[in-house]
Amino acid sequence: MSVKQDLNLLMEMLAALPDPVFVLTESGRYVALIGGHDARYYHDGSHLVDFTLHDVMPKEKADWFLHEIRRAIETEGLHTVEYALGSKDLKGSEDISGPAEELWFEGRIQPISSLVKGERAVVWVARNITERHQMQAELRRLSEQDELTGIYNRRKLMEELEEKFAEFKRYHHATSLMIFDLDHFKSINDRFGHIAGDKVLRIVTRLCAAQLREQDLFCRYGGEEFAVLLPNTSLKDAGRLAERLRRCIGEHDLQGLLGENACVTLSAGVSTIRVSDSDIEQLISRSDNALYKAKEKGRNRVVIEE
């Protein structure tokens, strides 16, 4: 086989690579693109050659790519990243063939030893991992979601509590926790059955969720017990919210489900993170204690633990 034939074969092999391979310089210029021609998985990037990242992407996105390129060059080794990229992130995307939705990629970035057009450069191999990312996201959602009510579960609450506790220790943003349960819920299950009890839990969930802010974390804590993590919320404001939820649930008519004049009430305990707290267990314990006091005082009430 002649040198020309060898070269032609090499170019044909490179062009047939299933994943796109970019050559990018330290300044963010696209020098070459090889492979990745399947429009089901990749956008057509042939027009990018000789343009820079900032020519074709929003500044924030371009800055990120540039940072990762320079990081790989400085460490002089393989650097791997994951990132999202959609046609909306590329200027002139209306003329680009390929998937319309946002895609997820694994980027494998390897520095090139020789200068390219007078600059240090990298080879950036982009592999479409959208399906894997979506599967991981779904598994994560299922692990964090209560099956009956659709809201978050106790596991998610504990994770978020740890994060908010760390933020409080650094920034001292007021963060409160409300724990409430439905009064005499066992009697509902005993009298009307567990199917009716499950419907009540879903109704309560819907009513409470409508009263909460987007940033509030609403969880089923266990059985008929719920918790609401309230970031950037003082103890006083958390107490007001708890009272609003108590009235909302108590005033809701469940006659169609449980019979004439039927209603459900709740008891709630509220506390807030203190500077003296060493862990989230102290916050949870205070909220729990406040809830027990609400029950001892006759139920259908809110107790705030200072």
Side-chain angles (χ1 to χ4, degrees), residues 166-296:
E167 289 179 14
F168 176 84
K169 287 298 183 180
R170 184 173 181 182
Y171 303 111
H172 290 260
H173 294 159
T175 301
S176 299
L177 175 67
M178 176 199 319
I179 298 178
F180 70 87
D181 71 8
L182 304 184
D183 298 326
H184 305 296
F185 185 74
K186 184 177 182 299
S187 65
I188 293 176
N189 282 331
D190 291 343
R191 290 180 60 195
F192 303 101
H194 288 278
I195 292 178
D198 287 350
K199 289 181 179 179
V200 169
L201 291 175
R202 285 193 287 265
I203 291 171
V204 168
T205 298
R206 175 175 53 81
L207 293 172
C208 289
Q211 299 291 325
L212 300 175
R213 303 167 301 180
E214 184 176 351
Q215 64 265 38
D216 299 333
L217 188 78
F218 186 26
C219 306
R220 187 179 178 195
Y221 199 52
E224 70 273 20
E225 198 167 22
F226 296 83
V228 186
L229 178 59
L230 301 161
N232 301 311
T233 305
S234 67
L235 187 59
K236 184 177 181 180
D237 287 339
R240 288 173 177 166
L241 173 61
E243 282 289 353
R244 189 161 69 245
L245 294 184
R246 186 188 66 80
R247 291 194 301 270
C248 175
I249 299 305
E251 293 170 0
H252 187 76
D253 185 7
L254 292 172
Q255 178 176 338
L257 180 62
L258 304 180
E260 188 174 355
N261 298 322
C263 67
V264 174
T265 61
L266 66 81
S267 299
V270 182
S271 189
T272 193
I273 300 178
R274 298 173 181 170
V275 174
S276 59
D277 286 343
S278 59
D279 55 44
I280 62 172
E281 297 301 330
Q282 292 175 287
L283 171 64
I284 295 172
S285 179
R286 285 197 301 276
S287 298
D288 268 333
N289 288 338
L291 172 58
Y292 292 138
K293 289 177 183 178
K295 294 178 179 179
E296 290 173 355

Side-chain angles (χ1 to χ4, degrees), residues 48-59:
L48 300 176
V49 175
D50 290 331
F51 286 95
T52 69
L53 292 165
H54 286 90
D55 288 333
V56 300
M57 293 182 184
K59 183 179 184 304

